Amino acid sequence: MKADGTMVDPVCGMTVQPDSAHRFEYEERQYRFCSAKCLAKFAADPRRYLALPVPAAAEPVESTSAREYTCPMHPEVRQTGPGTCPKCGMALEPVLPELEQDEDKAEYRDFQRRFWASLPLTVSVVLLAMAGHRLAWLVPALRNWGELLLAAPIVLWAGWPFFVRGWQSLLHRSPNMWTLISLGTGAAFAYSVAATLVPGWFPTSFMAHGRIGVYFEAAAVIISLTLLGQMLELRARAQTTAAIKSLLGLAPKTARRINADGSEEDVPLAHVHVGDSLRVRPGEKLPVDGAVTEGASAVDESMLTGEPLPVTKRPGDKVIGATMNTSGSLVIRAEKVGAQTVLAQIVQMVAQAQRSKAPLQRMADVVAGYFVVAVVGIALLSFFAWGLLGGEQGWVFGLINGVSVLIIACPCALGLATPMSVMVATGKAATSGILFRDAAAIERLREVDTLIVDKTGTLTEGRPAFERVVAVAGGSEDEVLRLAASLDQGSEHPLADAIVRAARERGLSLDKAEQFESASGIGVRGAVGGRRLVLGNAALLADAGVDVSGMVVEAEALRLSGASVMHLAVDGRLLGLLAVADPIKASTAEALASLRQAGLCVVMATGDGLTTARAVGQRLGIEEVHGEVKPADKLALVEQLQREGRIVAMVGDGINDAPALAKADVGIAMGTGTDVAMNSAQVMLVKGDLRGIARARQLSAATVANMRQNLAFAFLYNALGVPIAAGILYPAFGLVLSPVIAAAAMSLSSASVVGNALRLRGA
């Protein structure tokens, strides 16, 4: 305890008043805390915060293992702590990532280390296998041993996670691509080890260049390519959490709390409680949701509502945490903190929407389980059939044919079928300013029949621009604009900036404003050239005793067109009106026309006022318009349309669009928007041009057709090659497909897939 009676919170080190309600007695001593959260931490483990020895049996209070993890492919899989999915073998990721946590990169770093460590060995074993016979001094048997020594670390160490996942798929009776990869590489490696250690087991017909053919290089290349593919996939998966981390980073880290004695102190945001009085200075973000008790200011809420213009806040008005206080000083009373704030609810909505979305729709995965069972069954059938019916060397031929089946069925082409098409398509799209995040977006976009568009920043430029000036009868429009701009030079309001820029573009000479006074977001007052000016909304001019009834019709017409209207009075007399609006992008009308022609239903959903939204919708021919919608409303609209059986794409650029972007079948973000929107979406239009959607749909259709062709190639080779490898042609023609031919067929199928995918470059 200090001399003034206050105490120090042992958890966070803050000063705590003697009357704090958060108390805890430990070893006959009273401790006080700034909040219930600090009290709970201390009660769980007092010794940790008092620097006392911790008993050996004690468990740490906080650990990443206490967090809930889920599978990105199977959201229904949940467990406490990290691990792998029992269904598909993918690494689990946190349900809700934390801003400062970096554990989700652990698997990526592990695969990266394995890939780069094994790459030189893979190159070496491939070179030795392809050109080793040209080295006269290298005995054939030593070539096999050399390849074994090079390939063993690749297969047994670098590829070990794949064998673990393959084994787990068998234990959980959930065959998948890992089953195929582990069986194929394992069979190639085991066969090659046997050929190296006991070559006498094999018939002389399998001799080539003085040795039994081995396939160490096939196993090594498959492992290295799979590691590379996993690295690329993990990097893409990490972007799904970037949206949530961007949202978490929006909130300020501290708040300025006003204590009961009138003193003020900066406290961590976690220590703010309902009922606390907080001061928010100009240029600061509001820390939590609450209500204004003192002061007046214009608050920029565009990050959450989409409304491009700041909103005036006075005592009694509600405010939202993480929004920006632009001008005046505010004192607010905290009403919602922690998980109850609007921002926290948006974080939860984005996380839930991402988890509920269908995982990557690889066609290969649909039939992988049946394919694995069929291949293993054929390999075993071949082994026993040859062993029982093949005579003296029947079991040797059975082993060789069984291995040949597994080698030719190794999913190189099957694994390349979708990724190669996606890789070429994404590269082609990027040249048109379209960035696809994953294959699911490419596959789904062609099926979209309903497009939900935000207004601000999507259909419009997203920033106020001067539209027009109207002078009273007999007045000069240039004079109205010149006086208004002269007065607004002292204002930082976005509307004022638009007026000043318009005056300067017209070459008007501006005077210096004197006695400038801001009226808390509703307008400004001052003197220009010795005349008293008032510029603002109708309420401000009414307070100044100015009659605005003479231009009511003109003002209403401007509002119906979607503009914000300001009145200018000089020496107590109305001089004119100024209209500032968010202009529609030049490319918007053409883009919407092409989308309607393609059969899409376009719906507008915006946080702007309904009057403004309808005005914009009417100009663009959009019949279904939703105005004054919150982030949760946009999310609900997406869900409603999906329940009606529609395939929905959402286009937006703001934080308020993030939940809907994540929930939609395809989320499309404008490249000119916020990081949160771009991280929540699967497609990004780099130039912010809606015309890119039509082009993206064309690429989607071409890519899906190409993927189906690739899968047909892959399965065709397996359908023909597997029975031949099993020995089905031997009774009639005496033909047996050796593992050498099996490996060649496997390579040919991969080459066919790659060549076909490259055709997309001309799409």
Side-chain angles (χ1 to χ4, degrees):
M1 181 178 293
K2 298 181 180 180
D4 60 356
T6 60
M7 300 184 68
V8 175
D9 186 326
V11 176
C12 66
M14 287 183 54
T15 299
V16 183
Q17 298 299 321
D19 59 348
S20 173
H22 307 292
R23 305 183 183 189
F24 187 86
E25 185 173 344
Y26 179 71
E27 294 184 349
E28 299 181 352
R29 182 176 176 182
Q30 192 78 231
Y31 294 90
R32 296 186 178 92
F33 306 88
C34 69
S35 66
K37 185 175 181 180
C38 286
L39 170 59
K41 288 184 176 182
F42 182 87
D45 188 3
R47 290 177 173 270
R48 175 183 179 186
Y49 299 102
L50 298 177
L52 298 176
V54 180
E59 293 292 334
V61 176
E62 295 182 0
S63 171
T64 56
S65 63
R67 299 170 62 193
E68 190 174 23
Y69 284 68
T70 185
C71 174
M73 295 286 286
H74 301 92
E76 69 277 8
V77 175
R78 298 286 181 106
Q79 74 173 45
T80 300
T84 56
C85 176
K87 293 186 177 182
C88 66
M90 294 182 71
L92 302 181
E93 57 188 28
V95 172
L96 188 64
E98 296 179 4
L99 188 61
E100 305 300 330
Q101 293 291 338
D102 194 38
E103 78 282 347
D104 54 334
K105 295 183 180 179
E107 186 184 24
Y108 173 78
R109 287 193 290 263
D110 178 49
F111 282 162
Q112 185 181 47
R113 182 177 66 254
R114 292 174 188 270
F115 173 74
W116 290 113
S118 64
L119 185 60
L121 298 176
T122 301
V123 173
S124 299
V125 74
V126 169
L127 291 176
L128 185 59
M130 295 177 61
H133 63 280
R134 298 183 179 180
L135 302 176
W137 56 269
L138 187 60
V139 179
L142 290 181
R143 282 179 56 199
N144 284 13
W145 280 100
E147 291 183 31
L148 171 60
L149 293 176
L150 290 170
I154 303 171
V155 176
L156 301 180
W157 173 74
W160 182 250
F162 306 149
F163 291 102
V164 172
R165 293 179 181 185
W167 176 247
Q168 289 177 341
S169 71
L170 296 177
L171 290 180
H172 293 97
R173 299 178 182 178
S174 179
N176 50 48
M177 295 300 291
W178 298 114
T179 317
L180 290 176
I181 290 173
S182 59
L183 282 176
T185 55
F189 184 75
Y191 168 85
S192 301
V193 170
T196 302
L197 298 179
V198 283
W201 286 5
F202 298 84
T204 56
S205 59
F206 288 96
M207 294 287 291
H209 301 290
R211 63 169 188 163
I212 302 296
V214 293
Y215 310 99
F216 291 118
E217 79 285 357
V221 169
I222 292 170
I223 294 294
S224 293
L225 288 176
T226 305
L227 283 170
L228 178 60
Q230 283 298 291
M231 287 166 55
L232 297 175
E233 181 176 337
L234 287 169
R235 287 186 63 181
R237 281 171 53 191
Q239 296 300 316
T240 63
T241 64
I244 299 176
K245 289 189 175 183
S246 298
L247 284 168
L248 293 172
L250 291 174
K253 304 298 184 291
T254 61
R256 190 162 188 81
R257 186 168 62 190
I258 303 175
N259 299 318
D261 59 0
S263 62
E264 299 182 7
E265 60 177 338
D266 291 327
V267 299
L269 195 61
H271 295 166
V272 175
H273 308 288
V274 174
D276 284 352
S277 291
L278 308 171
R279 184 176 300 281
V280 186
R281 292 163 290 194
E284 292 183 340
K285 290 183 178 180
L286 281 85
V288 295
D289 297 2
V292 178
T293 57
E294 297 179 23
S297 180
V299 177
D300 183 358
E301 297 181 340
S302 60
M303 57 169 283
L304 294 176
T305 65
E307 170 60 54
L309 305 178
V311 181
T312 301
K313 300 293 183 181
R314 296 189 182 86
D317 290 341
K318 301 293 185 181
V319 291
I320 304 173
T323 56
M324 180 67 70
N325 180 28
T326 63
S327 52
S329 178
L330 296 174
V331 175
I332 68 170
R333 181 182 65 255
E335 294 183 344
K336 294 181 180 179
V337 300
Q340 302 303 315
T341 65
V342 171
L343 180 63
Q345 291 172 8
I346 292 177
V347 170
Q348 292 290 341
M349 284 190 290
V350 171
Q352 291 172 8
Q354 287 181 341
R355 302 301 177 201
S356 64
K357 182 166 34 182
L360 189 64
Q361 300 295 314
R362 288 198 180 103
M363 298 176 191
D365 289 341
V366 176
V367 296
Y370 301 103
F371 181 69
V372 171
V373 173
V375 167
V376 173
I378 293 173
L380 291 175
L381 179 63
S382 175
F383 174 72
F384 285 108
W386 276 97
L388 296 174
L389 306 174
E392 183 178 350
Q393 289 188 309
W395 291 107
V396 174
F397 277 98
L399 175 64
I400 294 170
N401 288 339
V403 170
S404 295
V405 168
L406 292 175
I407 289 176
I408 201 170
C410 191
C412 287
L414 199 60
L416 286 172
T418 298
M420 277 302 302
S421 298
V422 169
M423 183 176 67
V424 178
T426 51
K428 179 66 176 180
T431 62
S432 301
I434 305 164
L435 299 183
F436 285 105
R437 178 153 308 216
D438 54 38
I442 299 177
E443 187 173 344
R444 197 66 165 157
L445 186 57
R446 81 192 203 286
E447 301 174 353
V448 167
D449 55 33
T450 303
L451 183 69
I452 301 176
V453 293
D454 178 43
K455 181 186 79 69
T456 305
T458 303
L459 300 175
T460 65
E461 296 289 351
R463 60 180 182 274
F466 178 78
E467 186 166 291
R468 62 175 300 192
V469 57
V470 180
V472 296
S476 168
E477 293 185 354
D478 281 352
E479 181 64 9
V480 173
L481 179 58
R482 188 187 72 83
L483 290 174
S486 297
L487 181 61
D488 267 339
Q489 289 181 103
S491 175
E492 297 179 353
H493 199 284
L495 296 182
D497 180 64
I499 291 172
V500 172
R501 279 190 283 108
R504 287 175 175 162
E505 288 172 0
R506 293 193 184 188
L508 301 179
S509 177
L510 305 184
D511 296 332
K512 181 179 180 181
E514 299 175 345
Q515 303 174 22
F516 179 82
E517 178 186 352
S518 175
S520 303
I522 62 174
V524 292
R525 299 185 180 93
V528 175
R531 293 188 287 177
R532 295 293 304 172
L533 271 62
V534 179
L535 177 64
N537 61 18
L540 177 64
L541 268 71
D543 290 342
V546 179
D547 181 14
V548 299
S549 60
M551 301 192 75
V552 171
V553 175
E554 293 87 345
E556 185 61 21
L558 290 171
R559 292 191 188 96
L560 289 175
S561 70
S564 296
V565 179
M566 288 164 285
H567 302 71
L568 176 67
V570 179
D571 293 332
R573 183 173 59 87
L574 183 64
L575 197 64
L577 305 174
L578 298 103
V580 175
D582 186 9
I584 295 174
K585 293 180 179 178
S587 61
T588 296
E590 179 187 345
L592 293 180
S594 65
L595 292 171
R596 290 193 196 94
Q597 187 176 3
L600 271 69
C601 173
V602 181
V603 179
M604 183 200 297
T606 175
D608 280 7
L610 189 55
T611 300
T612 302
R614 285 175 175 169
V616 174
Q618 186 175 8
R619 291 173 61 183
L620 294 173
I622 301 175
E623 296 181 0
E624 186 174 348
V625 175
H626 301 264
E628 300 176 1
V629 295
K630 299 176 181 178
D633 298 327
K634 290 186 179 181
L635 177 62
L637 177 61
V638 172
E639 294 173 336
Q640 175 189 337
L641 293 172
Q642 289 174 331
R643 285 194 298 269
E644 294 174 0
R646 302 198 201 182
I647 308 300
V648 181
M650 169 72 193
V651 190
D653 75 325
I655 295 164
N656 59 316
D657 301 318
L661 287 170
K663 179 60 178 174
D665 295 284
V666 180
I668 305 173
M670 310 299 281
T672 52
T674 64
D675 290 342
V676 175
M678 288 184 278
N679 289 329
S680 300
Q682 298 167 285
V683 183
M684 184 174 71
L685 305 179
V686 177
K687 301 175 183 178
D689 190 339
L690 287 176
R691 290 176 295 186
I693 298 177
R695 173 59 177 152
R697 291 185 83 242
Q698 293 174 356
L699 275 173
S700 170
T703 304
V704 170
N706 192 266
M707 286 193 289
R708 287 175 173 168
Q709 294 164 3
N710 285 346
L711 288 169
F713 279 130
F715 282 113
L716 178 62
Y717 277 108
N718 280 297
L720 295 176
V722 168
I724 296 174
I728 195 173
L729 297 181
Y730 186 80
F733 302 100
L735 295 178
V736 176
L737 186 66
S738 75
V740 176
I741 304 301
M746 180 183 66
S747 300
L748 181 60
S749 65
S750 299
S752 300
V753 165
V754 172
N756 187 57
L758 291 176
R759 294 192 307 109
L760 278 174
R761 291 183 297 183

